[in-house]
Amino acid sequence: MTRQELIDLIYTRRSFLCVGLDVDKNKMPEHLRNAEDGVFQFNKAIIDATIDYTVAYKPNLAFYEAMGIEGLVQLKKTMDYLHSLDKPAFTIADAKRGDIGNTSQQYAKAFLDPKGDFNFDALTIAPYMGADSVQPFTVYDNKWVILLALTSNKGAFDFQFLPVDGEKKLFEQVLETSKQWGNPDNMMYVVGATKADMLTQVRAIAPKSFLLVPGVGAQGGSLEEVCKYGLTNECGLLVNSSRGIIYASNGTDFAERAGEEARKLQQQMASVLK
Amino acid sequence: MTRQELIDLIYTRRSFLCVGLDVDKNKMPEHLRNAEDGVFQFNKAIIDATIDYTVAYKPNLAFYEAMGIEGLVQLKKTMDYLHSLDKPAFTIADAKRGDIGNTSQQYAKAFLDPKGDFNFDALTIAPYMGADSVQPFTVYDNKWVILLALTSNKGAFDFQFLPVDGEKKLFEQVLETSKQWGNPDNMMYVVGATKADMLTQVRAIAPKSFLLVPGVGAQGGSLEEVCKYGLTNECGLLVNSSRGIIYASNGTDFAERAGEEARKLQQQMASVLK
């Protein structure tokens, strides 16, 4: 999906919501836990209930890998389903990969290759290993790197805020340096909603870039704050909610309740997109 | 595998070689490329030919993921085979994972859980997201986190050498801070062989820790240099070679040639272990 297609989708659906498909069997409705293709059935129901309010879906790979190979089969079915729909959605593999150049090429193939098992639009990448660990992900047409800048967790304070080379913080240096590796048409950044006040600093370095913002909901981030500091005149935000939507209920009404939660967020988003 | 078991294995086999099972179909011998279970057959032959000279095997996940779900089936067969052998080997998932706490728990389950599909001894982890992204990997008994400190690639210079908080470099800060998250019984560090002269600084902060050292061979690192600056009185090193061993030949003699290359390295290692 191109940048313009993403922007058009946001303004058509009047939403910049990303639904995190972080499926944990222990939190799924009981009737699906041991059902055949239960994880896929769960995801399918969530997608059907939320797609009118959502522009993106973000499965976190960890949850699928934790189920072993069978988990990845369920992820492939989910992706095949998303690709089969008339309604488009931007798909993000939240995988936080990154390795030396020739190895990152393999990860890029795994997640972004249109002929691969998954064919995601985008992939999250950790910046620690630098340029050659990130650049192989930028070579696929209309595909995206989403680089970790400022994460939503407590551990973000261990390194990301360290002052480097004088006054700049490490996450600012990551934003600055990575401009040489991509551009606002193929690179986004992760900036946690729990650090919304930092969005001003992020926007000073990356005024046009899309930001993927996790941490609204269960992690305590505020949508209002995120919009206040992060919104651009092309929206420029994808705000993710995972647990707050997909586990709104663990009963047979889980999909209906997920749809309601997504709709609530969409309505808030529609009002700021005016 | 415990630290003491690893040390005993090193002194029994007189080797601290780790063989990187980074299988790329395009580089495999032609007769195996389209064979059923060709990747597993390749790995099995490499393992059989090298295990007497090797203490560890390190499949890099990227190469398996690039083959889609089938690649992970081949990896599982490889791990099942390693677990079935009378001869022990330390197994490392070179996956460079790391995510917020509850997500890292899922990655830990995926790779380290004895009941999971893979049951590795260790997993490589990227440090950018800090404490809660790393600690979930330290809760499994006799399992290991291998934290990226100083990587072997050119991109390492983008961030890892940045001075933080004054004089210290970022990789030194990572070593220092991570001491609160684990200890030499459950945490190792990645230090690239191409940065062997930095091993003195690494040893100043982590005198007892095992170091996983990639970059000997195709990437240009020197085993001699690595030993000079990194060896401890308990060895303290696992030196990885991937392409130099597994692609020593791409003919039908690939396993034999891999065995010869592993043996050469083992003999050099035996002489420094005296």
Side-chain angles (χ1 to χ4, degrees), chain A residues 60 65 69 72 96-97 99 117 128-129 131-132 149 153 155 158 160 163, chain B residues 60 65 69 72 96-97 99 117 128-129 131-132 149 153 155 158 160 163 165:
Chain A
N60 187 307
E65 294 181 13
I69 290 163
L72 294 161
K96 301 187 175 74
R97 300 299 200 261
D99 209 309
D117 272 352
Y128 193 71
M129 295 181 68
D132 61 285
N153 63 326
D158 284 315
Q160 297 166 28
Chain B
N60 188 307
E65 293 181 14
I69 290 164
L72 294 159
K96 303 190 173 71
R97 300 299 200 259
D99 209 309
D117 272 350
Y128 192 71
M129 294 181 68
D132 62 286
N153 61 325
D158 284 316
Q160 298 167 26
D165 263 346

PDB file of all heavy atoms in Angstrom, chain A residues 60 65 69 72 96-97 99 117 128-129 131-132 149 153 155 158 160 163, chain B residues 60 65 69 72 96-97 99 117 128-129 131-132 149 153 155 158 160 163 165:
ATOM      1  N   ASN A  60       1.052  -9.457  16.366  1.00  0.00           N
ATOM      2  CA  ASN A  60       2.399  -9.524  16.929  1.00  0.00           C
ATOM      3  C   ASN A  60       2.885 -10.962  16.813  1.00  0.00           C
ATOM      4  O   ASN A  60       2.245 -11.881  17.328  1.00  0.00           O
ATOM      5  CB  ASN A  60       2.404  -9.054  18.382  1.00  0.00           C
ATOM      6  CG  ASN A  60       3.821  -8.967  18.914  1.00  0.00           C
ATOM      7  OD1 ASN A  60       4.580  -9.921  18.837  1.00  0.00           O
ATOM      8  ND2 ASN A  60       4.193  -7.804  19.428  1.00  0.00           N
ATOM      9  N   GLU A  65       4.163 -17.360  17.306  1.00  0.00           N
ATOM     10  CA  GLU A  65       5.321 -18.237  17.478  1.00  0.00           C
ATOM     11  C   GLU A  65       5.208 -19.040  18.773  1.00  0.00           C
ATOM     12  O   GLU A  65       5.668 -20.179  18.841  1.00  0.00           O
ATOM     13  CB  GLU A  65       6.606 -17.417  17.459  1.00  0.00           C
ATOM     14  CG  GLU A  65       6.847 -16.779  16.098  1.00  0.00           C
ATOM     15  CD  GLU A  65       8.135 -15.970  16.004  1.00  0.00           C
ATOM     16  OE1 GLU A  65       8.992 -16.078  16.906  1.00  0.00           O
ATOM     17  OE2 GLU A  65       8.275 -15.220  15.022  1.00  0.00           O
ATOM     18  N   ILE A  69       4.613 -24.053  15.288  1.00  0.00           N
ATOM     19  CA  ILE A  69       4.357 -23.973  13.847  1.00  0.00           C
ATOM     20  C   ILE A  69       2.864 -23.800  13.566  1.00  0.00           C
ATOM     21  O   ILE A  69       2.470 -23.055  12.678  1.00  0.00           O
ATOM     22  CB  ILE A  69       4.937 -25.214  13.146  1.00  0.00           C
ATOM     23  CG1 ILE A  69       6.468 -25.126  13.193  1.00  0.00           C
ATOM     24  CG2 ILE A  69       4.447 -25.325  11.714  1.00  0.00           C
ATOM     25  CD1 ILE A  69       7.179 -26.418  12.913  1.00  0.00           C
ATOM     26  N   LEU A  72       1.755 -20.294  13.305  1.00  0.00           N
ATOM     27  CA  LEU A  72       2.065 -19.600  12.055  1.00  0.00           C
ATOM     28  C   LEU A  72       1.107 -20.012  10.940  1.00  0.00           C
ATOM     29  O   LEU A  72       0.816 -19.216  10.041  1.00  0.00           O
ATOM     30  CB  LEU A  72       3.524 -19.835  11.691  1.00  0.00           C
ATOM     31  CG  LEU A  72       4.428 -19.156  12.729  1.00  0.00           C
ATOM     32  CD1 LEU A  72       5.830 -19.733  12.700  1.00  0.00           C
ATOM     33  CD2 LEU A  72       4.469 -17.647  12.528  1.00  0.00           C
ATOM     34  N   LYS A  96       9.558  -6.906  15.159  1.00  0.00           N
ATOM     35  CA  LYS A  96      10.755  -6.293  15.760  1.00  0.00           C
ATOM     36  C   LYS A  96      12.029  -7.034  15.380  1.00  0.00           C
ATOM     37  O   LYS A  96      12.848  -7.363  16.213  1.00  0.00           O
ATOM     38  CB  LYS A  96      10.557  -6.168  17.271  1.00  0.00           C
ATOM     39  CG  LYS A  96       9.326  -5.302  17.605  1.00  0.00           C
ATOM     40  CD  LYS A  96       9.153  -4.995  19.073  1.00  0.00           C
ATOM     41  CE  LYS A  96       8.003  -4.036  19.319  1.00  0.00           C
ATOM     42  NZ  LYS A  96       6.658  -4.612  19.162  1.00  0.00           N
ATOM     43  N   ARG A  97      12.184  -7.290  14.086  1.00  0.00           N
ATOM     44  CA  ARG A  97      13.346  -7.989  13.575  1.00  0.00           C
ATOM     45  C   ARG A  97      14.503  -7.028  13.335  1.00  0.00           C
ATOM     46  O   ARG A  97      14.388  -5.825  13.567  1.00  0.00           O
ATOM     47  CB  ARG A  97      12.992  -8.712  12.269  1.00  0.00           C
ATOM     48  CG  ARG A  97      11.886  -9.761  12.392  1.00  0.00           C
ATOM     49  CD  ARG A  97      12.256 -10.872  13.342  1.00  0.00           C
ATOM     50  NE  ARG A  97      11.454 -12.069  13.118  1.00  0.00           N
ATOM     51  CZ  ARG A  97      10.376 -12.433  13.827  1.00  0.00           C
ATOM     52  NH1 ARG A  97       9.935 -11.694  14.821  1.00  0.00           N
ATOM     53  NH2 ARG A  97       9.736 -13.563  13.554  1.00  0.00           N
ATOM     54  N   ASP A  99      18.859  -7.673  11.616  1.00  0.00           N
ATOM     55  CA  ASP A  99      20.057  -8.510  11.660  1.00  0.00           C
ATOM     56  C   ASP A  99      21.044  -7.954  10.647  1.00  0.00           C
ATOM     57  O   ASP A  99      20.742  -6.963   9.979  1.00  0.00           O
ATOM     58  CB  ASP A  99      19.669  -9.970  11.341  1.00  0.00           C
ATOM     59  CG  ASP A  99      20.590 -10.978  12.010  1.00  0.00           C
ATOM     60  OD1 ASP A  99      21.816 -10.829  11.862  1.00  0.00           O
ATOM     61  OD2 ASP A  99      20.077 -11.890  12.670  1.00  0.00           O
ATOM     62  N   ASP A 117       4.552 -16.466   2.264  1.00  0.00           N
ATOM     63  CA  ASP A 117       3.383 -16.979   2.989  1.00  0.00           C
ATOM     64  C   ASP A 117       2.533 -15.864   3.601  1.00  0.00           C
ATOM     65  O   ASP A 117       1.357 -16.083   3.894  1.00  0.00           O
ATOM     66  CB  ASP A 117       3.835 -17.918   4.116  1.00  0.00           C
ATOM     67  CG  ASP A 117       3.971 -19.360   3.633  1.00  0.00           C
ATOM     68  OD1 ASP A 117       3.564 -19.639   2.489  1.00  0.00           O
ATOM     69  OD2 ASP A 117       4.487 -20.198   4.391  1.00  0.00           O
ATOM     70  N   TYR A 128      18.969  -1.218  16.705  1.00  0.00           N
ATOM     71  CA  TYR A 128      20.288  -1.325  17.358  1.00  0.00           C
ATOM     72  C   TYR A 128      21.425  -1.656  16.398  1.00  0.00           C
ATOM     73  O   TYR A 128      22.547  -1.197  16.574  1.00  0.00           O
ATOM     74  CB  TYR A 128      20.217  -2.366  18.477  1.00  0.00           C
ATOM     75  CG  TYR A 128      21.404  -2.354  19.416  1.00  0.00           C
ATOM     76  CD1 TYR A 128      21.599  -1.311  20.323  1.00  0.00           C
ATOM     77  CD2 TYR A 128      22.336  -3.387  19.405  1.00  0.00           C
ATOM     78  CE1 TYR A 128      22.685  -1.296  21.187  1.00  0.00           C
ATOM     79  CE2 TYR A 128      23.422  -3.387  20.269  1.00  0.00           C
ATOM     80  CZ  TYR A 128      23.595  -2.342  21.155  1.00  0.00           C
ATOM     81  OH  TYR A 128      24.671  -2.340  22.009  1.00  0.00           O
ATOM     82  N   MET A 129      21.165  -2.469  15.374  1.00  0.00           N
ATOM     83  CA  MET A 129      22.240  -2.922  14.482  1.00  0.00           C
ATOM     84  C   MET A 129      22.506  -1.980  13.302  1.00  0.00           C
ATOM     85  O   MET A 129      23.381  -2.258  12.471  1.00  0.00           O
ATOM     86  CB  MET A 129      21.970  -4.350  14.005  1.00  0.00           C
ATOM     87  CG  MET A 129      22.022  -5.333  15.166  1.00  0.00           C
ATOM     88  SD  MET A 129      21.728  -7.065  14.685  1.00  0.00           S
ATOM     89  CE  MET A 129      23.185  -7.411  13.715  1.00  0.00           C
ATOM     90  N   ALA A 131      22.312   0.746   9.934  1.00  0.00           N
ATOM     91  CA  ALA A 131      21.897   0.894   8.532  1.00  0.00           C
ATOM     92  C   ALA A 131      21.656  -0.416   7.789  1.00  0.00           C
ATOM     93  O   ALA A 131      20.574  -0.648   7.257  1.00  0.00           O
ATOM     94  CB  ALA A 131      22.946   1.712   7.779  1.00  0.00           C
ATOM     95  N   ASP A 132      22.653  -1.284   7.744  1.00  0.00           N
ATOM     96  CA  ASP A 132      22.503  -2.464   6.880  1.00  0.00           C
ATOM     97  C   ASP A 132      21.489  -3.461   7.438  1.00  0.00           C
ATOM     98  O   ASP A 132      21.062  -4.374   6.734  1.00  0.00           O
ATOM     99  CB  ASP A 132      23.854  -3.147   6.605  1.00  0.00           C
ATOM    100  CG  ASP A 132      24.531  -3.655   7.863  1.00  0.00           C
ATOM    101  OD1 ASP A 132      25.075  -2.832   8.619  1.00  0.00           O
ATOM    102  OD2 ASP A 132      24.515  -4.875   8.104  1.00  0.00           O
ATOM    103  N   ALA A 149      11.373   3.678  17.604  1.00  0.00           N
ATOM    104  CA  ALA A 149      12.045   4.892  18.067  1.00  0.00           C
ATOM    105  C   ALA A 149      11.887   4.946  19.587  1.00  0.00           C
ATOM    106  O   ALA A 149      12.852   4.765  20.329  1.00  0.00           O
ATOM    107  CB  ALA A 149      11.448   6.115  17.393  1.00  0.00           C
ATOM    108  N   ASN A 153       6.962   0.719  26.668  1.00  0.00           N
ATOM    109  CA  ASN A 153       7.204  -0.030  27.920  1.00  0.00           C
ATOM    110  C   ASN A 153       8.121   0.717  28.882  1.00  0.00           C
ATOM    111  O   ASN A 153       8.788   1.684  28.514  1.00  0.00           O
ATOM    112  CB  ASN A 153       7.807  -1.394  27.572  1.00  0.00           C
ATOM    113  CG  ASN A 153       9.165  -1.273  26.882  1.00  0.00           C
ATOM    114  OD1 ASN A 153       9.385  -0.341  26.126  1.00  0.00           O
ATOM    115  ND2 ASN A 153      10.052  -2.192  27.155  1.00  0.00           N
ATOM    116  N   GLY A 155      10.891  -0.375  30.128  1.00  0.00           N
ATOM    117  CA  GLY A 155      12.282  -0.575  29.720  1.00  0.00           C
ATOM    118  C   GLY A 155      12.780   0.462  28.715  1.00  0.00           C
ATOM    119  O   GLY A 155      13.987   0.585  28.506  1.00  0.00           O
ATOM    120  N   ASP A 158      15.618   2.568  29.849  1.00  0.00           N
ATOM    121  CA  ASP A 158      16.977   2.058  30.045  1.00  0.00           C
ATOM    122  C   ASP A 158      17.979   2.647  29.050  1.00  0.00           C
ATOM    123  O   ASP A 158      19.080   3.021  29.437  1.00  0.00           O
ATOM    124  CB  ASP A 158      16.987   0.523  29.968  1.00  0.00           C
ATOM    125  CG  ASP A 158      16.422  -0.098  31.242  1.00  0.00           C
ATOM    126  OD1 ASP A 158      16.802   0.369  32.327  1.00  0.00           O
ATOM    127  OD2 ASP A 158      15.596  -1.024  31.139  1.00  0.00           O
ATOM    128  N   GLN A 160      16.725   4.295  25.592  1.00  0.00           N
ATOM    129  CA  GLN A 160      16.187   5.202  24.570  1.00  0.00           C
ATOM    130  C   GLN A 160      16.276   6.681  24.950  1.00  0.00           C
ATOM    131  O   GLN A 160      16.314   7.545  24.086  1.00  0.00           O
ATOM    132  CB  GLN A 160      14.743   4.808  24.233  1.00  0.00           C
ATOM    133  CG  GLN A 160      14.644   3.416  23.628  1.00  0.00           C
ATOM    134  CD  GLN A 160      13.240   2.861  23.589  1.00  0.00           C
ATOM    135  OE1 GLN A 160      12.268   3.603  23.525  1.00  0.00           O
ATOM    136  NE2 GLN A 160      13.113   1.546  23.650  1.00  0.00           N
ATOM    137  N   PRO A 163      21.268  10.401  26.914  1.00  0.00           N
ATOM    138  CA  PRO A 163      21.823  11.465  26.066  1.00  0.00           C
ATOM    139  C   PRO A 163      23.042  10.946  25.307  1.00  0.00           C
ATOM    140  O   PRO A 163      23.940  10.360  25.892  1.00  0.00           O
ATOM    141  CB  PRO A 163      22.239  12.538  27.080  1.00  0.00           C
ATOM    142  CG  PRO A 163      22.403  11.824  28.376  1.00  0.00           C
ATOM    143  CD  PRO A 163      21.529  10.604  28.335  1.00  0.00           C
TER     144      PRO A 163
ATOM    145  N   ASN B  60      20.005 -19.385  12.291  1.00  0.00           N
ATOM    146  CA  ASN B  60      19.453 -18.039  12.280  1.00  0.00           C
ATOM    147  C   ASN B  60      18.031 -18.119  11.727  1.00  0.00           C
ATOM    148  O   ASN B  60      17.816 -18.589  10.614  1.00  0.00           O
ATOM    149  CB  ASN B  60      20.311 -17.098  11.442  1.00  0.00           C
ATOM    150  CG  ASN B  60      19.840 -15.665  11.582  1.00  0.00           C
ATOM    151  OD1 ASN B  60      18.660 -15.374  11.382  1.00  0.00           O
ATOM    152  ND2 ASN B  60      20.734 -14.774  11.955  1.00  0.00           N
ATOM    153  N   GLU B  65      12.502 -18.591   8.262  1.00  0.00           N
ATOM    154  CA  GLU B  65      11.284 -17.810   8.042  1.00  0.00           C
ATOM    155  C   GLU B  65      11.143 -17.403   6.569  1.00  0.00           C
ATOM    156  O   GLU B  65      10.028 -17.307   6.058  1.00  0.00           O
ATOM    157  CB  GLU B  65      11.274 -16.587   8.959  1.00  0.00           C
ATOM    158  CG  GLU B  65      11.159 -16.980  10.431  1.00  0.00           C
ATOM    159  CD  GLU B  65      11.110 -15.796  11.385  1.00  0.00           C
ATOM    160  OE1 GLU B  65      10.905 -14.665  10.945  1.00  0.00           O
ATOM    161  OE2 GLU B  65      11.286 -16.040  12.603  1.00  0.00           O
ATOM    162  N   ILE B  69       6.312 -21.188   6.251  1.00  0.00           N
ATOM    163  CA  ILE B  69       6.012 -22.167   7.296  1.00  0.00           C
ATOM    164  C   ILE B  69       6.813 -23.445   7.091  1.00  0.00           C
ATOM    165  O   ILE B  69       7.305 -24.050   8.049  1.00  0.00           O
ATOM    166  CB  ILE B  69       4.499 -22.432   7.336  1.00  0.00           C
ATOM    167  CG1 ILE B  69       3.800 -21.170   7.883  1.00  0.00           C
ATOM    168  CG2 ILE B  69       4.165 -23.639   8.200  1.00  0.00           C
ATOM    169  CD1 ILE B  69       2.319 -21.122   7.631  1.00  0.00           C
ATOM    170  N   LEU B  72      10.072 -23.498   8.865  1.00  0.00           N
ATOM    171  CA  LEU B  72      10.026 -23.760  10.310  1.00  0.00           C
ATOM    172  C   LEU B  72       9.806 -25.241  10.596  1.00  0.00           C
ATOM    173  O   LEU B  72      10.277 -25.750  11.610  1.00  0.00           O
ATOM    174  CB  LEU B  72       8.976 -22.876  10.959  1.00  0.00           C
ATOM    175  CG  LEU B  72       9.401 -21.399  10.856  1.00  0.00           C
ATOM    176  CD1 LEU B  72       8.213 -20.479  11.019  1.00  0.00           C
ATOM    177  CD2 LEU B  72      10.490 -21.068  11.865  1.00  0.00           C
ATOM    178  N   LYS B  96      17.232 -12.663  17.536  1.00  0.00           N
ATOM    179  CA  LYS B  96      17.313 -11.217  17.813  1.00  0.00           C
ATOM    180  C   LYS B  96      15.942 -10.638  18.130  1.00  0.00           C
ATOM    181  O   LYS B  96      15.548  -9.601  17.592  1.00  0.00           O
ATOM    182  CB  LYS B  96      18.027 -10.495  16.673  1.00  0.00           C
ATOM    183  CG  LYS B  96      19.440 -11.078  16.445  1.00  0.00           C
ATOM    184  CD  LYS B  96      20.301 -10.301  15.512  1.00  0.00           C
ATOM    185  CE  LYS B  96      21.721 -10.816  15.460  1.00  0.00           C
ATOM    186  NZ  LYS B  96      21.924 -12.127  14.795  1.00  0.00           N
ATOM    187  N   ARG B  97      15.218 -11.298  19.019  1.00  0.00           N
ATOM    188  CA  ARG B  97      13.901 -10.862  19.417  1.00  0.00           C
ATOM    189  C   ARG B  97      13.971  -9.814  20.537  1.00  0.00           C
ATOM    190  O   ARG B  97      15.062  -9.443  20.983  1.00  0.00           O
ATOM    191  CB  ARG B  97      13.064 -12.052  19.896  1.00  0.00           C
ATOM    192  CG  ARG B  97      12.852 -13.144  18.856  1.00  0.00           C
ATOM    193  CD  ARG B  97      12.118 -12.644  17.632  1.00  0.00           C
ATOM    194  NE  ARG B  97      11.509 -13.727  16.879  1.00  0.00           N
ATOM    195  CZ  ARG B  97      11.990 -14.269  15.761  1.00  0.00           C
ATOM    196  NH1 ARG B  97      13.099 -13.834  15.229  1.00  0.00           N
ATOM    197  NH2 ARG B  97      11.334 -15.249  15.148  1.00  0.00           N
ATOM    198  N   ASP B  99      10.639  -7.519  22.965  1.00  0.00           N
ATOM    199  CA  ASP B  99       9.382  -6.782  22.876  1.00  0.00           C
ATOM    200  C   ASP B  99       8.973  -6.406  24.304  1.00  0.00           C
ATOM    201  O   ASP B  99       9.677  -6.736  25.253  1.00  0.00           O
ATOM    202  CB  ASP B  99       8.325  -7.672  22.189  1.00  0.00           C
ATOM    203  CG  ASP B  99       7.279  -6.862  21.431  1.00  0.00           C
ATOM    204  OD1 ASP B  99       6.718  -5.929  22.041  1.00  0.00           O
ATOM    205  OD2 ASP B  99       7.021  -7.152  20.263  1.00  0.00           O
ATOM    206  N   ASP B 117       7.866 -26.360  20.327  1.00  0.00           N
ATOM    207  CA  ASP B 117       8.312 -27.028  19.097  1.00  0.00           C
ATOM    208  C   ASP B 117       9.836 -27.051  18.955  1.00  0.00           C
ATOM    209  O   ASP B 117      10.371 -27.885  18.224  1.00  0.00           O
ATOM    210  CB  ASP B 117       7.724 -26.302  17.866  1.00  0.00           C
ATOM    211  CG  ASP B 117       6.348 -26.849  17.496  1.00  0.00           C
ATOM    212  OD1 ASP B 117       5.951 -27.894  18.063  1.00  0.00           O
ATOM    213  OD2 ASP B 117       5.673 -26.237  16.639  1.00  0.00           O
ATOM    214  N   TYR B 128      17.386  -2.853  22.692  1.00  0.00           N
ATOM    215  CA  TYR B 128      16.861  -1.487  22.597  1.00  0.00           C
ATOM    216  C   TYR B 128      15.683  -1.213  23.532  1.00  0.00           C
ATOM    217  O   TYR B 128      15.522  -0.115  24.038  1.00  0.00           O
ATOM    218  CB  TYR B 128      16.460  -1.204  21.141  1.00  0.00           C
ATOM    219  CG  TYR B 128      16.172   0.247  20.834  1.00  0.00           C
ATOM    220  CD1 TYR B 128      17.202   1.180  20.784  1.00  0.00           C
ATOM    221  CD2 TYR B 128      14.876   0.691  20.587  1.00  0.00           C
ATOM    222  CE1 TYR B 128      16.945   2.509  20.491  1.00  0.00           C
ATOM    223  CE2 TYR B 128      14.613   2.023  20.295  1.00  0.00           C
ATOM    224  CZ  TYR B 128      15.651   2.931  20.247  1.00  0.00           C
ATOM    225  OH  TYR B 128      15.395   4.251  19.965  1.00  0.00           O
ATOM    226  N   MET B 129      14.828  -2.210  23.769  1.00  0.00           N
ATOM    227  CA  MET B 129      13.617  -1.979  24.566  1.00  0.00           C
ATOM    228  C   MET B 129      13.825  -2.166  26.080  1.00  0.00           C
ATOM    229  O   MET B 129      12.874  -2.013  26.851  1.00  0.00           O
ATOM    230  CB  MET B 129      12.476  -2.855  24.041  1.00  0.00           C
ATOM    231  CG  MET B 129      12.045  -2.438  22.622  1.00  0.00           C
ATOM    232  SD  MET B 129      10.682  -3.418  21.959  1.00  0.00           S
ATOM    233  CE  MET B 129       9.328  -2.904  23.020  1.00  0.00           C
ATOM    234  N   ALA B 131      14.925  -3.436  30.086  1.00  0.00           N
ATOM    235  CA  ALA B 131      14.766  -4.493  31.094  1.00  0.00           C
ATOM    236  C   ALA B 131      13.610  -5.450  30.841  1.00  0.00           C
ATOM    237  O   ALA B 131      13.806  -6.663  30.743  1.00  0.00           O
ATOM    238  CB  ALA B 131      14.614  -3.859  32.475  1.00  0.00           C
ATOM    239  N   ASP B 132      12.392  -4.928  30.757  1.00  0.00           N
ATOM    240  CA  ASP B 132      11.248  -5.847  30.696  1.00  0.00           C
ATOM    241  C   ASP B 132      11.173  -6.602  29.377  1.00  0.00           C
ATOM    242  O   ASP B 132      10.443  -7.592  29.251  1.00  0.00           O
ATOM    243  CB  ASP B 132       9.925  -5.119  30.989  1.00  0.00           C
ATOM    244  CG  ASP B 132       9.608  -4.024  29.972  1.00  0.00           C
ATOM    245  OD1 ASP B 132      10.248  -2.974  30.020  1.00  0.00           O
ATOM    246  OD2 ASP B 132       8.720  -4.238  29.146  1.00  0.00           O
ATOM    247  N   ALA B 149      25.451  -6.984  22.146  1.00  0.00           N
ATOM    248  CA  ALA B 149      26.220  -5.867  22.698  1.00  0.00           C
ATOM    249  C   ALA B 149      26.860  -5.130  21.516  1.00  0.00           C
ATOM    250  O   ALA B 149      26.494  -4.009  21.195  1.00  0.00           O
ATOM    251  CB  ALA B 149      27.264  -6.359  23.683  1.00  0.00           C
ATOM    252  N   ASN B 153      28.498  -6.246  12.117  1.00  0.00           N
ATOM    253  CA  ASN B 153      28.220  -5.579  10.829  1.00  0.00           C
ATOM    254  C   ASN B 153      28.649  -4.119  10.812  1.00  0.00           C
ATOM    255  O   ASN B 153      28.949  -3.522  11.861  1.00  0.00           O
ATOM    256  CB  ASN B 153      26.717  -5.659  10.531  1.00  0.00           C
ATOM    257  CG  ASN B 153      25.877  -4.961  11.582  1.00  0.00           C
ATOM    258  OD1 ASN B 153      26.222  -4.979  12.760  1.00  0.00           O
ATOM    259  ND2 ASN B 153      24.799  -4.343  11.173  1.00  0.00           N
ATOM    260  N   GLY B 155      26.794  -1.551  10.210  1.00  0.00           N
ATOM    261  CA  GLY B 155      25.782  -0.744  10.892  1.00  0.00           C
ATOM    262  C   GLY B 155      26.001  -0.621  12.398  1.00  0.00           C
ATOM    263  O   GLY B 155      25.399   0.236  13.040  1.00  0.00           O
ATOM    264  N   ASP B 158      26.598   2.825  13.670  1.00  0.00           N
ATOM    265  CA  ASP B 158      25.557   3.849  13.694  1.00  0.00           C
ATOM    266  C   ASP B 158      25.168   4.255  15.119  1.00  0.00           C
ATOM    267  O   ASP B 158      25.013   5.435  15.409  1.00  0.00           O
ATOM    268  CB  ASP B 158      24.326   3.394  12.908  1.00  0.00           C
ATOM    269  CG  ASP B 158      24.548   3.473  11.407  1.00  0.00           C
ATOM    270  OD1 ASP B 158      25.102   4.501  10.969  1.00  0.00           O
ATOM    271  OD2 ASP B 158      24.203   2.521  10.693  1.00  0.00           O
ATOM    272  N   GLN B 160      25.935   1.812  18.234  1.00  0.00           N
ATOM    273  CA  GLN B 160      26.574   1.073  19.331  1.00  0.00           C
ATOM    274  C   GLN B 160      27.819   1.753  19.887  1.00  0.00           C
ATOM    275  O   GLN B 160      28.181   1.553  21.038  1.00  0.00           O
ATOM    276  CB  GLN B 160      26.894  -0.354  18.875  1.00  0.00           C
ATOM    277  CG  GLN B 160      25.639  -1.139  18.511  1.00  0.00           C
ATOM    278  CD  GLN B 160      25.911  -2.431  17.776  1.00  0.00           C
ATOM    279  OE1 GLN B 160      26.978  -3.016  17.911  1.00  0.00           O
ATOM    280  NE2 GLN B 160      24.953  -2.882  16.974  1.00  0.00           N
ATOM    281  N   PRO B 163      28.829   7.782  22.161  1.00  0.00           N
ATOM    282  CA  PRO B 163      29.096   8.065  23.570  1.00  0.00           C
ATOM    283  C   PRO B 163      27.799   8.445  24.282  1.00  0.00           C
ATOM    284  O   PRO B 163      27.069   9.311  23.817  1.00  0.00           O
ATOM    285  CB  PRO B 163      30.067   9.243  23.524  1.00  0.00           C
ATOM    286  CG  PRO B 163      29.849   9.879  22.197  1.00  0.00           C
ATOM    287  CD  PRO B 163      29.331   8.829  21.263  1.00  0.00           C
ATOM    288  N   ASP B 165      25.961   9.458  28.070  1.00  0.00           N
ATOM    289  CA  ASP B 165      26.247   9.923  29.425  1.00  0.00           C
ATOM    290  C   ASP B 165      27.739  10.194  29.641  1.00  0.00           C
ATOM    291  O   ASP B 165      28.337   9.727  30.611  1.00  0.00           O
ATOM    292  CB  ASP B 165      25.787   8.850  30.435  1.00  0.00           C
ATOM    293  CG  ASP B 165      24.413   9.173  30.980  1.00  0.00           C
ATOM    294  OD1 ASP B 165      23.956  10.310  30.794  1.00  0.00           O
ATOM    295  OD2 ASP B 165      23.814   8.278  31.601  1.00  0.00           O
TER     296      ASP B 165
END
